[in-house]
Amino acid sequence: MAPDTWLRAKRNAAPCTSGDGTVKICRPEGASLTGCRSRALPCRHSPRAFGTRLAVPGFSLSAVVLAMALTACAARPGPETLDPIPSSLKDAKSITILAATDRAPAQVTPPVYGVDRGILSYEAITMLEKAPNGGPYPSVHSPDTDPSGDFVATERRALDETAFARHVASMQKKGGETIVIFVHGYNYSYQEAVFRLAQLSAEAGQTIIPVLFSWPSQASVAGYVADRDSTTFARDDLARLLVMLGRSRPGGRIAVVGHSMGAWLVMEALRQLRLEGENEVIAHLQVGLAAPDIDIDVFRKQAAAVGRLSSPLTVLVSADDRALAISSRLAGGRPRLGSMSVDDPRILDIVRSDGMRFIDITTMPASDGFNHDRFIAFAARYSDAARDGGLPDGIRQAGVYLLDTTGRVLSAPFTGAARIVAGSQ
């Protein structure tokens, strides 16, 4: 079958589910993959997975029912989506994702990295972005659909650490200005993280060098505790990656973005680097935490150890983040950093003492029913500023900020509070 025919069949594939919550992908007859093929992974928030939560002390039945009611089961990319396919697409946009992972290879075909823990490995994945129906490329990709629908993998190449660093340097010479390291949250498969970063990279343009750090998430809602342990397992490897990239391009900009549980991993890696005296590496980092699943008291300890950064650490929060509300219940009611109000005295104290920047994105659109992925809309809104290595005017300095539904900064009372806590008044 011609590659374009396969792509059209793939785009028209429809997700379906069985009674146990397993995702299946139905492909039209005549495609290279036909019929309904069960995915090894459950739905991102399947009822079956949430049902296992009933055994957790303090986790109420009402919270489980709420989670089930909020969730729509969407397809997730399976291993076959990373199987390289020669493409005859003309003038298609090419994106290269550099991936570092300490997942162990899964025993599946085609080979991908799975849910078990392994040694740090590297690869380069080249993808083509497919314009829908031959039309223009989308400026913003929908976060509520299978991200593999917009891209096709055309090449995968395993790299050692030296070759990985050379690949970064090569991309820098071709116009890449800022290395952007994406650290995903819990309940992510390897291929899902790859395609999510491809979406974000396509919106940011050719001036960034996208690097994925994928830790061994169980890719299951029921794997929350195992995922928390896996982030601890991955801490040394993320720190090693930051040191390697920092030393390979001294003076260059490196942005690190951690989402949800991945934000905890980012803070732990920074803490470790500070304790190890890697101050030069830290000095060139720009750090963003999106919907961080971190206990507020733990974060204050982490922040104290890391200290002030050259560029204010940015934290994106949303007061109605339902995923973090569930996480808080699992943690005995302790508040999570990503769902706190920017006018909470504890947040203001952190901003004042550690020179951080908190941005309330509660009013920005979400797509996952849990209001946990608003950072994607934020990234799309400020992609132009990101190309310049920062944030737009009005929210560059340390402080607290509230955005309206279009992403504009509201002035009162938060701008005044921001100036006060930043020490400018």
Side-chain angles (χ1 to χ4, degrees):
M1 171 177 292
D4 288 352
T5 303
W6 187 92
L7 285 172
R8 285 194 296 271
K10 179 176 178 294
R11 181 174 291 279
N12 294 329
C16 56
T17 58
S18 60
D20 64 357
T22 301
V23 177
K24 297 182 178 180
I25 294 299
C26 303
R27 303 185 185 278
E29 293 297 329
S32 57
L33 297 175
T34 60
C36 247
R37 294 171 60 90
S38 295
R39 293 278 173 85
L41 303 176
C43 299
R44 174 167 282 280
H45 305 295
S46 72
R48 177 173 62 87
F50 268 109
T52 63
R53 296 291 195 189
L54 294 174
V56 179
F59 194 80
S60 68
L61 177 62
S62 61
V64 176
V65 173
L66 172 63
M68 292 168 60
L70 289 170
T71 302
C73 183
R76 304 177 74 172
E80 73 279 359
T81 58
L82 286 185
D83 193 15
I85 301 173
S87 176
S88 59
L89 296 175
K90 296 181 179 180
D91 302 321
K93 292 183 179 179
S94 177
I95 297 174
T96 298
I97 302 295
L98 298 177
T101 183
D102 49 11
R103 296 172 181 258
Q107 301 302 312
V108 297
T109 302
V112 294
Y113 292 100
V115 301
D116 293 327
R117 300 163 186 167
I119 61 173
L120 190 58
S121 303
Y122 306 90
E123 70 170 329
I125 306 170
T126 301
M127 296 183 171
L128 293 182
E129 182 181 10
K130 187 174 184 293
N133 301 319
Y137 291 97
S139 59
V140 178
H141 294 84
S142 174
D144 60 349
T145 58
D146 181 344
S148 66
D150 296 323
F151 303 88
V152 58
T154 58
E155 182 183 10
R156 292 180 65 185
R157 183 164 33 139
L159 305 170
D160 59 23
E161 187 170 292
T162 301
F164 185 86
R166 284 201 304 264
H167 217 97
V168 172
S170 174
M171 292 177 69
Q172 181 183 10
K173 292 178 181 178
K174 293 178 181 178
E177 297 177 359
T178 302
I179 297 174
V180 177
I181 305 170
F182 176 58
V183 184
H184 60 76
Y186 109 103
N187 186 19
Y188 258 82
S189 68
Y190 177 74
Q191 57 270 18
E192 187 173 13
V194 168
F195 282 106
R196 183 62 74 201
L197 181 54
Q199 282 186 328
L200 296 172
S201 301
E203 290 160 12
Q206 298 294 322
T207 59
I208 71 165
I209 303 171
V211 175
L212 170 67
F213 180 80
S214 184
W215 50 275
S217 166
Q218 293 296 297
S220 165
V221 176
Y224 186 88
V225 175
D227 275 13
R228 178 67 72 181
D229 290 340
S230 288
T231 56
T232 303
F233 168 84
R235 177 177 52 201
D236 291 357
D237 292 328
L238 177 56
R240 177 178 172 179
L241 175 66
L242 293 174
V243 170
M244 183 262 287
L245 292 176
R247 291 176 177 173
S248 67
R249 53 175 313 189
R253 289 197 299 260
I254 300 177
V256 187
V257 179
H259 176 231
S260 190
M261 195 178 287
W264 185 90
L265 174 54
V266 168
M267 288 302 296
E268 282 296 292
L270 294 178
R271 180 179 181 274
Q272 179 163 318
L273 291 177
R274 186 69 81 186
L275 294 177
E276 292 176 351
E278 296 287 354
N279 298 324
E280 284 298 315
V281 173
I282 295 176
H284 296 101
L285 296 179
Q286 298 174 344
V287 181
L289 308 179
D293 187 1
I294 309 176
D295 179 291
I296 179 63
D297 295 322
V298 172
F299 180 74
R300 295 180 74 167
K301 287 282 190 179
Q302 292 172 324
V306 172
R308 287 181 177 244
L309 301 181
S310 301
S311 177
L313 186 150
T314 300
V315 184
L316 304 181
V317 300
S318 180
D320 63 350
D321 189 316
R322 295 180 175 95
L324 294 183
I326 294 173
S327 175
S328 177
R329 288 297 299 271
L330 288 172
R334 295 186 178 276
R336 316 315 282 174
L337 180 67
S339 60
M340 297 192 68
S341 172
V342 291
D343 60 357
D344 187 291
R346 290 168 292 183
I347 297 299
L348 297 179
D349 182 62
I350 290 172
V351 173
R352 181 176 58 250
S353 61
D354 299 303
M356 295 186 184
R357 177 171 45 214
F358 278 73
I359 304 175
D360 189 326
I361 59 173
T362 302
T363 58
M364 299 201 76
S367 65
D368 62 356
F370 278 76
N371 302 328
H372 195 53
D373 67 350
R374 287 193 171 110
F375 78 101
I376 299 175
F378 179 85
R381 172 68 175 78
Y382 289 118
S383 60
D384 289 340
R387 293 186 189 110
D388 297 328
L391 290 168
D393 292 335
I395 53 176
R396 290 183 181 273
Q397 71 272 20
V400 292
Y401 304 88
L402 179 71
L403 304 185
D404 68 10
T405 55
T406 67
R408 294 179 301 179
V409 180
L410 296 179
S411 56
F414 297 91
T415 301
R419 287 197 296 266
I420 292 172
V421 298
S424 60
Q425 289 188 357

